[in-house]
């Protein structure tokens, strides 16, 4: 039988495609975003202990209480506001599950969701599967700042959700306090929910403040705020994330979550609970940890023809390759992998309407020095 696809625009994700190509050609993989250095030993030990202590059966649907408590404490520590442990926090199988659940909890067939391009690739398929339509508003092609007049112009009576992401993947751009005020003004007196994807919340540089939606009571009231331990604890393969949302939104969110996954890998929930409680400095110092990597990598890039763009947050460096090649970004990333042994991620898959002129590649610097040195050695020959 041949099914009629429900997702005609979707192929295999660019992350899987580029990782496969990197493996086939023995390239240094700075494409798919994942650290190549170890998970903190304390976390591994806590995971091992959780399994040996017998925490191997279904967790509570909403998440292990100790982890929800730790998330509430961490949120209070970071944002000066404490979500309710029982009514407002749900642990999910990665941020990806939380994004899917939030969209399906409140967005109906025929409605619209505004996304800001370039946007992370799992947003639109989830919107499509809900029978809704993604309305794409482009960020500035150079600064990746939002144009709030354009966003306002995209709002219609059908708009049910606005999705934002700061620090931003793929650009590293961050929302300012003025941007958050613009979101508040835009959504006031509307029935539009906010989905704030904050998976890089702790990876912010140069003394800047992460502008979480949780800092703003008016946004908090209508927001699903989503994060991921994969980014914060160097374990993207564990796929544990969470959603903070007001009680009424969490009720609807959990209706989807309970029949999507029901619960998330139990031992890891115990391990994260212990890690957050006993070593809060890990997330407090993550910005400094990655800032050192960013600065070192950018200094190394000075010795290549690639022009690095500013990186306010996150663990991706955009580089302008127009001094090297006039190929479009899909072809350039293939060429760079096959001919020069370095893999990055093209930006065009993150756009509904990719620009014909943009010559940018995303390089992940969540890597050890040896990996980055090897990449730079190859890139300096371009
Ligand atoms: N949102 C963004 C912006 C991401 O970069 C990622 C993963 N890299 C996710 C969501 C998904 O996170 P997870 O792996 O926890 O599902
Ligand atoms: N979020 C990761 C990135 O941006 C990729 C995750 C995935 O491969 N699904 O690179």
């Amino acid at each position: 039988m041949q099914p009629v696809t429900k997702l005609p625009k979707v192929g295999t994700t660019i992350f899987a495609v580029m990782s496969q190509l990197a493996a086939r050609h023995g390239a240094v993989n700075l494409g798919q975003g994942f650290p190549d250095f170890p998970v903190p030993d304390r976390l591994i030990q806590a995971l091992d202990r959780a399994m040996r202590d017998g925490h191997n059966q279904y967790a509570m649907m909403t998440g292990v209480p100790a982890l929800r408590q730790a998330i509430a404490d961490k949120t209070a520590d970071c944002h000066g506001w404490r979500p309710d442990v029982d009514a407002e926090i749900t642990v999910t199988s990665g941020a990806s599950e939380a994004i899917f659940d939030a969209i399906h909890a409140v967005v109906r067939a025929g409605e619209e969701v505004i996304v800001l391009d370039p946007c992370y690739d799992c947003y639109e398929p989830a919107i499509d599967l809900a029978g809704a339509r993604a309305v794409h508003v482009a960020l500035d092609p150079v600064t990746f700042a939002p144009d709030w007049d354009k966003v306002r112009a995209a709002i219609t009576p059908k708009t049910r959700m606005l999705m934002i992401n700061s620090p931003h993947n793929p650009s590293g751009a961050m929302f300012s306090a003025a941007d958050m005020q613009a979101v508040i003004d835009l959504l006031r007196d509307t029935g539009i929910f906010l989905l704030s994807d904050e998976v890089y919340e702790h990876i912010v540089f140069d003394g800047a403040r992460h502008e979480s939606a949780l800092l703003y009571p008016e946004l908090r009231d209508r927001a699903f705020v989503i994060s991921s331990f994969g980014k914060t604890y160097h374990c993207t393969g564990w796929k544990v994330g969470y959603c903070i949302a007001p009680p009424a939104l969490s009720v609807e969110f959990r209706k989807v979550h309970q029949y999507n996954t029901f619960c998330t890998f139990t031992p890891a929930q115990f391990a994260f609970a212990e890690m957050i409680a006993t070593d809060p400095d890990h997330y407090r110092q993550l910005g400094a940890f990655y800032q050192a990597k960013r600065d070192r990598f950018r200094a190394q890039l000075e010795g290549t023809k690639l022009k690095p763009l500013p990186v306010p947050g996150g663990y991706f460096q955009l580089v302008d390759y127009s001094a090297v090649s006039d190929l479009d970004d899909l072809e350039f990333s293939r060429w760079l992998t096959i001919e020069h042994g370095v893999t990055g991620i093209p930006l065009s898959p993150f756009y509904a309407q990719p620009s014909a002129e943009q010559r940018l590649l995303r390089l992940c610097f969540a890597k050890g020095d040896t990996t980055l040195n090897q990449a730079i050695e190859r890139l300096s020959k371009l």
Side-chain angles (χ1 to χ4, degrees):
M1 276 175 71
Q2 185 62 39
V4 177
T5 180
K6 292 181 72 178
L7 294 170
K9 286 177 285 187
V10 172
T12 305
T13 82
I14 191 67
F15 306 117
V17 169
M18 294 313 298
S19 277
Q20 254 174 15
L21 196 69
R24 191 165 344 124
H25 294 277
V28 182
N29 189 358
L30 306 187
Q32 193 174 26
F34 60 87
D36 74 345
F37 38 82
V39 170
D41 196 49
R42 185 197 289 260
L43 186 59
I44 300 270
Q45 284 179 16
L47 179 69
D48 181 74
R49 202 170 338 101
M51 289 189 279
R52 291 180 196 284
D53 286 350
H55 297 300
N56 298 303
Q57 309 311 328
Y58 296 127
M60 274 178 75
M61 180 271 279
T62 53
V64 163
L67 179 55
R68 283 184 283 111
Q69 183 64 53
I71 292 168
D73 292 345
K74 177 166 98 65
T75 306
D77 181 35
C78 295
H79 307 311
W81 171 78
R82 178 181 297 276
D84 185 275
V85 171
D86 294 319
E88 296 186 307
I89 301 171
T90 310
V91 178
T92 58
S93 298
S96 308
E97 190 219 314
I99 290 166
F100 187 92
D101 294 350
I103 291 168
H104 282 261
V106 296
V107 178
R108 289 161 204 270
E111 293 185 336
E112 294 172 353
V113 177
I114 297 178
V115 298
L116 308 180
D117 281 6
C119 77
Y120 187 59
D121 69 341
C122 79
Y123 297 176
E124 185 160 10
I127 296 165
D128 287 347
L129 287 174
R133 188 168 76 88
V135 175
H136 296 263
V137 178
L139 297 167
D140 182 276
V142 177
T143 63
F144 296 91
D147 178 336
W148 294 112
D149 289 333
K150 280 193 192 157
V151 178
R152 187 183 301 280
I155 294 178
T156 75
K158 291 184 183 165
T159 309
R160 180 59 56 225
M161 180 181 270
L162 167 67
M163 296 179 73
I164 59 174
N165 169 219
S166 176
H168 180 240
N169 180 6
S171 73
M174 281 171 50
F175 275 20
S176 63
D179 288 318
M180 300 311 276
Q181 190 54 50
V183 177
I184 292 171
D185 295 341
L186 210 60
L187 301 188
R188 186 177 295 133
D189 301 326
T190 71
I192 302 173
F193 296 102
L194 180 68
L195 189 157
S196 185
D197 177 345
E198 303 187 5
V199 300
Y200 301 102
E201 60 180 328
H202 299 296
I203 312 179
V204 299
F205 307 137
D206 308 316
R209 178 171 87 154
H210 162 57
E211 291 292 333
S212 173
L214 297 173
L215 288 165
Y216 299 90
E218 273 194 80
L219 293 182
R220 220 152 64 200
D221 273 359
R222 58 173 76 234
F224 298 92
V225 176
I226 290 170
S227 195
S228 170
F229 293 120
K231 318 291 169 188
T232 302
Y233 292 103
H234 317 320
C235 53
T236 59
W238 291 20
K239 296 296 288 189
V240 183
Y242 59 93
C243 173
I244 298 177
L249 271 62
S250 289
V251 165
E252 296 307 314
F253 180 91
R254 289 168 179 181
K255 288 182 187 176
V256 182
H257 164 70
Q258 70 181 348
Y259 292 124
N260 185 1
T261 56
F262 182 75
C263 68
T264 295
F265 184 56
T266 306
Q269 294 195 49
F270 280 89
F272 286 126
E274 183 178 323
M275 183 74 193
I276 294 168
T278 59
D279 190 6
D281 279 346
H282 176 91
Y283 66 76
R284 289 181 191 142
Q285 286 167 10
L286 199 64
F289 171 81
Y290 274 115
Q291 185 168 323
K293 288 198 179 295
R294 176 199 69 169
D295 292 347
R296 185 175 180 278
F297 188 51
R298 288 172 68 83
Q300 287 181 308
L301 282 167
E302 293 300 326
T304 74
K305 288 188 185 150
L306 302 172
K307 187 171 158 286
L309 271 61
V311 183
Y315 55 44
F316 302 113
Q317 171 68 63
L318 290 188
V319 291
D320 182 323
Y321 62 81
S322 52
V324 176
S325 167
D326 199 35
L327 292 173
D328 70 36
D329 63 356
L330 288 169
E331 284 184 59
F332 181 75
S333 53
R334 283 185 60 81
W335 174 81
L336 193 66
T337 301
I338 296 168
E339 300 298 332
H340 290 276
V342 179
T343 298
I345 294 288
L347 260 59
S348 49
F350 298 85
Y351 282 94
Q353 286 177 316
S355 126
E357 292 94 55
Q358 204 174 47
R359 295 284 177 270
L360 297 177
L361 191 70
R362 192 194 81 175
L363 300 174
C364 175
F365 58 82
K367 307 289 172 190
D369 289 352
T370 313
T371 308
L372 295 173
N373 292 349
Q374 201 185 9
I376 290 292
E377 193 192 312
R378 295 176 182 192
L379 293 174
S380 54
K381 297 197 182 113
L382 290 175

